């Protein structure tokens, strides 16, 4: 699963570094245990592998962002309009526009939570 996670992270513009190996391994185990406990199974079902990969990516990116260690992803506000005469700059904030950071947070939330309803299809009854 580690290689799948690294490839998926690359699609979001993040290249996994050698120092990320431990935290990625930890996050993989965390997500696998969550799925196994929620479904009451001993291994992650094949049908939940892609969901597990996305959940690992979401947890990993959330951790990196929370620690301020996500320098390769640009989260600066995007300029929406520029007016030269008497200088006016408007950033893509408010007025229904999401900043890049808000969009990134939405992506992380999606990755972590999407697919959890699918767990029900793989649940085993616990006696």
């Amino acid at each position: 699963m580690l290689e799948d996670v690294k490839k998926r992270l690359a699609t979001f513009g993040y290249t996994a570094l050698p120092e990320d190996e431990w935290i990625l391994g930890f996050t993989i185990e965390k997500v696998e245990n969550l799925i196994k406990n929620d479904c009451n199974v001993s291994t992650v079902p094949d049908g939940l592998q892609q969901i597990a990969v996305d959940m690992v990516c979401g947890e990993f990116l959330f951790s990196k962002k929370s620690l301020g260690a996500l320098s390769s992803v640009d989260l600066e506000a995007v300029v929406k309009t520029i007016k030269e005469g008497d200088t006016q700059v408007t950033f893509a904030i408010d007025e229904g526009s999401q900043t890049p950071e808000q969009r990134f947070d939405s992506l992380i939330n999606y990755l972590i939570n999407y697919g959890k309803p699918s767990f029900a299809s793989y649940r085993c009854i616990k006696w």
Side-chain angles (χ1 to χ4, degrees):
M1 182 186 290
L2 180 61
E3 289 306 312
D4 289 339
V5 170
K6 287 180 180 180
K7 289 176 187 175
R8 184 72 166 138
L9 286 171
T11 65
F12 301 124
Y14 183 86
T15 303
L17 305 171
E19 55 266 22
D20 293 330
E21 294 283 328
W22 185 86
I23 191 70
L24 283 171
F26 176 84
T27 307
I28 288 169
E29 285 184 40
K30 177 181 171 183
V31 168
E32 285 178 342
N33 286 332
L34 179 123
I35 292 171
K36 291 188 289 189
N37 289 333
D38 198 1
C39 295
N40 192 33
V41 293
S42 58
T43 60
V44 175
D46 289 337
L48 297 178
Q49 288 295 326
Q50 291 82 11
I51 292 169
V53 169
D54 276 356
M55 288 176 74
V56 169
C57 291
E59 292 279 345
F60 175 78
L61 292 172
F62 177 77
S63 297
K64 293 292 269 189
K65 181 178 182 269
S66 297
L67 296 171
L70 200 57
S71 59
S72 65
V73 179
D74 183 17
L75 300 178
E76 294 298 317
V78 175
V79 175
K80 190 174 182 180
T81 61
I82 297 175
K83 181 180 175 183
E84 287 187 31
D86 206 16
T87 313
Q88 175 186 349
V89 177
T90 306
F91 291 95
I93 299 173
D94 298 329
E95 302 172 5
S97 297
Q98 286 188 327
T99 65
E101 184 170 11
Q102 289 170 327
R103 287 192 304 271
F104 188 72
D105 289 342
S106 294
L107 172 66
I108 289 173
N109 186 44
Y110 169 82
L111 291 172
I112 292 172
N113 294 304
Y114 175 79
K116 283 188 179 179
S118 300
F119 291 6
S121 299
Y122 297 93
R123 281 198 181 109
C124 294
I125 295 175
K126 194 173 195 176
W127 297 99

